[in-house]
Amino acid sequence: MCGIVGYIGKRNALPVIIDGLKRLEYRGYDSAGFTILSDKGEYITFKKAGRVTDLEESIDFEKYIGNVGIGHTRWATHGEPTDANAHPHFCMEEKIILVHNGIIENYKAIKSKLESEGYKFKTDTDTEILANLINYNYKKTNDFVKAVQLSLGGVDGTYGIACLCTDEKDKIIAARKGSPLLLGVGDEEFIIASDAAAVLSYTRNVIYLNDGEMAIVTKNSHTLKTIEDVEIIRDIQVLDMVLEQIEKGGYKHFMLKEICEQPESIQNTFRGRINFETGVAKLGGLEKVLPQMLNAKRYIITACGTAWHAGLIGEYMIEQYCRIPVEVEYASEFRYRRPIIYKDDVVIGISQSGETADTLEALREAKKYGATTIGIVNVIGSTIAREVDAGTYIHAGPEIGVASTKAFTSQLMSLALITMMIAREKNTLFSKTLREMAQELKQIPEKIKRMIDRKEDYKSVAEKFRKSKNFYYLGRGVNFPVALEGALKLKEISYIHAEGYPAAEMKHGPIALIDKKMPVVFIAPKDRTYDKIISNIAEVKSRKGIIIALANEDDDNIKNYADYILRVPKTLGIFAPILNIIPLQFLSYYIAAMNNRDVDRPRNLAKSVTVE
Ligand code: M6R
């Protein structure tokens, strides 16, 4: 979490830093700050609790003219989100200035050691301790690069840093371990950033740093080294992304834009990967591990949040159509309970960002046991994408809203393609069935468009329930994880309490909460559980609960039970969750927007959770 930006080059640094921080704000928005080396050779810093726009509105840009600077937007871990705890942080002597994304786990031990050397600290942050450690090593070596290397060599935990030293003015040192970092290489300028979004306005040429690597950047040169001082030669990559993809394009919120982009994002996920006539699905990135996928006795899917919900749906797909047992694990739990992992297991990590610390560590754990690791990832070049044995990109395009929408449906589409690929190879589905699936898959973007055209209907349901305090979301079978995801969407952006449950579990306890104020969203498409779910609806209705039913366009019967209906097109079971989640995304979006929530940057959250 946290976003960092550093600039050195021919331009005025501050506007580049502020622009970059705004684009990285999805990574954390508790406080923001910057340090600029002014034309007069002085270091000037401004930092403040609150959003980047609060910071921007409080500064007189004329005061901060200079071509070198670093900036930070924070998601608080150590220390409250106060002005003092905002980055950049200084060492006691104000010689080392640092912005940091990550957690220094052995900060207490380092602090005690430094205190015994007479160091004093002004803030509650682990970053201030690292700045002082670099200073301590600088005093011993009189060499900025060596001081950073020595310090990082003694640190446990994660970091992405950009660091200045007042003795070596025209230089920024950046380094990473466990937190993403890249270097934008422009024409006589360099931009260090946590994510490509912050460099895209200036250059599409980038170099990604790997764990344990650092970049030493001056106005006209860059050198890459490992923390152990081994020089690295790395080619520049050209970003396959344009600025419009990361801008709102006339929508009020990124989330709304991203919901409405789903016809295209889904198409991008399956483009070139399926033959509609034969039903053959091919995922180039997985070819080299196909033998392991076919011979595995079990798949383990690991992920967090929305991606975990996608994993639960993947379990239904793979077990039902490929007949391979699947276990789905919260990544944060998986690695800490000495999991039993066999060499012939296939462990699939699902992650939009490709940087989620728990998912990354779970995959690393699986690798240690010799399992084959696979990534289903959106962000190209992200750490998970680079570390797994093989993978498939979902190609959903940049997702900026903190609430994941289009990445979720593209994750589901990727899982459906994997299912079709494996089922064909293992002969667990007839060719005719695969052809029918492929023909239906082709219709999915059009069916999503139909729902987008119907968004005013979903909005009118949202209007009725914007003041509700609690919600239930209920579904059966593959729609149970859809219920979980619908509830998560509502919770995270509107701060309304919502719970997802398997519909039949209601009567084992939660039904006690039903009364005339409780809206209950039933996911009730016409599938083999339909009659059962109608009975569950009746159980809630007879206790005066309010029924909002998500039902197929041709389902007239539902009118006999539901107070409000969210209509969805009919599709095959394997694709149903992709369609069924969309009205629920709209419902939560409109409820949050009507309640004036900060939809794209909900409180306490960050898009990319790179701390464990
Ligand atoms: O980048 P990832 O897919 O690994 O992120 C996982 C979760 O942090 C993420 O899905 C989170 O739950 C979203 N805010 C949900 O909308």
Side-chain angles (χ1 to χ4, degrees), residues 78-192:
H78 290 66
E80 283 179 36
T82 58
D83 292 356
N85 286 338
H87 296 219
H89 286 286
F90 297 75
C91 70
M92 192 176 73
E93 294 168 0
E94 304 202 345
K95 193 178 285 286
I96 300 295
I97 308 163
L98 185 67
V99 289
H100 167 221
N101 166 29
I103 293 181
I104 308 298
E105 284 168 3
N106 57 340
Y107 75 100
K108 278 197 179 134
I110 299 173
K111 189 175 182 185
S112 315
K113 179 179 150 78
L114 291 172
E115 275 170 343
S116 69
E117 299 281 341
Y119 279 82
K120 300 243 177 315
F121 299 89
K122 289 187 195 144
T123 75
D124 311 319
T125 67
D126 50 346
T127 307
E128 189 191 9
I129 293 163
L130 181 57
N132 279 293
L133 181 63
I134 296 172
N135 177 250
Y136 170 79
N137 284 313
Y138 181 72
K139 283 210 257 185
K140 286 209 308 200
T141 58
N142 211 21
D143 180 327
F144 183 25
V145 174
K146 278 214 167 60
V148 173
Q149 287 174 332
L150 274 176
S151 307
L152 295 180
V155 149
D156 294 335
T158 55
Y159 53 78
I161 59 164
C163 187
L164 303 171
C165 173
T166 56
D167 286 348
E168 301 191 25
K169 285 199 158 53
D170 280 357
K171 188 179 284 170
I172 306 180
I173 296 183
R176 76 158 270 184
K177 183 182 152 210
S179 301
L181 207 60
L182 58 84
L183 181 65
V185 182
D187 178 19
E188 292 175 49
E189 60 183 353
F190 296 95
I191 304 158
I192 293 150

Side-chain angles (χ1 to χ4, degrees), residues 303-309 350-357 359 376 384 399 401-405 407 411 485 488-489 492-493 602 605-609:
C304 303
T306 288
W308 183 76
H309 296 152
I350 307 178
S351 175
Q352 186 287 128
S353 61
E355 301 292 348
T356 298
T359 310
I376 299 179
I384 292 179
E399 189 182 68
V402 164
S404 189
T405 51
Q411 286 160 353
E485 175 60 9
L488 174 62
K489 284 290 87 86
E492 69 179 327
I493 58 166
L605 286 176
K607 178 78 181 155
S608 176
V609 185

